[in-house]
């Protein structure tokens, strides 16, 4: 297995800690071996330009063709051209985060309905399996 997610200018990252947790950003510049400069772009993701430690970000497979220290306008154009948000929404990682968020927002009755649905599904599957094996 070859490592493919490098810290590089143009790499799209997911911020996993702090006030912008759960938002996407793009690496604009590398400050040192512990920090990088990221920018949303603000109008698309809500992340302002800031220095952030590598421990607070997770590298994604997505990259954008930009130069070092690109302006907000250039970054926005590159994001829309590469259709990054749609690619992210289609990824299994984003779908998993979305489902976790939905589950966390469920009420007690919502969790009960999910439990009943799982029991019904399990019952149907076990009946079909018994029917096939018999």
């Amino acid at each position: 297995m070859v490592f493919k997610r490098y810290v590089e200018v143009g790499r799209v990252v997911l911020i996993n800690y702090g006030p912008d947790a759960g938002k996407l950003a793009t690496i604009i510049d590398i400050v040192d071996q512990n920090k990088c400069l990221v920018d949303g772009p603000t109008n698309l993701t809500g992340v302002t330009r800031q220095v952030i430690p590598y421990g607070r970000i997770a590298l994604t497979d997505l990259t954008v063709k930009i130069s070092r220290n690109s302006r907000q306008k250039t970054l926005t154009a590159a994001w829309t051209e590469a259709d990054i948000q749609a690619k992210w929404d289609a990824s299994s990682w984003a779908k998993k985060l979305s489902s976790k968020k939905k589950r966390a927002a469920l009420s007690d009755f919502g969790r009960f309905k999910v439990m009943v649905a799982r029991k019904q599904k399990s019952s149907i599957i076990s009946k079909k399996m018994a029917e096939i094996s018999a």
Side-chain angles (χ1 to χ4, degrees):
M1 189 164 137
V2 180
F3 188 74
K4 294 179 182 171
R5 293 180 186 167
Y6 297 106
V7 175
E8 59 185 333
V9 173
R11 174 70 60 184
V12 177
V13 297
L14 177 71
I15 300 174
N16 55 25
Y17 186 81
D20 292 323
K23 295 179 182 176
L24 291 178
T26 310
I27 295 178
I28 302 299
D29 194 7
I30 294 154
V31 177
D32 60 18
Q33 66 183 10
N34 296 316
K35 295 183 286 280
C36 63
L37 180 68
V38 297
D39 193 357
T42 309
N43 57 347
L44 299 177
T45 64
V47 178
T48 57
R49 188 171 288 223
Q50 59 187 305
V51 175
I52 193 164
Y54 294 134
R56 293 186 176 198
I57 59 174
L59 303 173
T60 67
D61 290 330
L62 306 172
T63 55
V64 179
K65 294 269 187 191
I66 55 168
S67 59
R68 201 167 143 240
N69 282 326
S70 292
R71 294 179 0 190
Q72 181 95 22
K73 186 177 177 182
T74 311
L75 182 59
T76 304
W79 261 63
T80 53
E81 181 187 328
D83 203 20
I84 295 296
Q85 193 63 47
K87 288 179 183 175
W88 171 252
D89 291 337
S91 71
S92 60
W93 190 356
K95 289 175 185 173
K96 193 184 301 182
L97 287 176
S98 174
S99 66
K100 277 186 180 180
K101 193 173 183 180
K102 283 180 191 171
R103 279 206 176 144
L106 282 179
S107 64
D108 186 42
F109 185 61
R111 286 189 293 276
F112 173 76
K113 290 193 291 188
V114 169
M115 180 196 69
V116 170
R118 286 182 63 205
K119 282 184 176 181
Q120 288 175 343
K121 177 184 164 192
S122 176
S123 170
I124 291 169
I125 290 173
S126 62
K127 285 177 185 174
K128 288 289 183 185
M129 291 302 287
E131 188 178 297
I132 290 171
S133 64

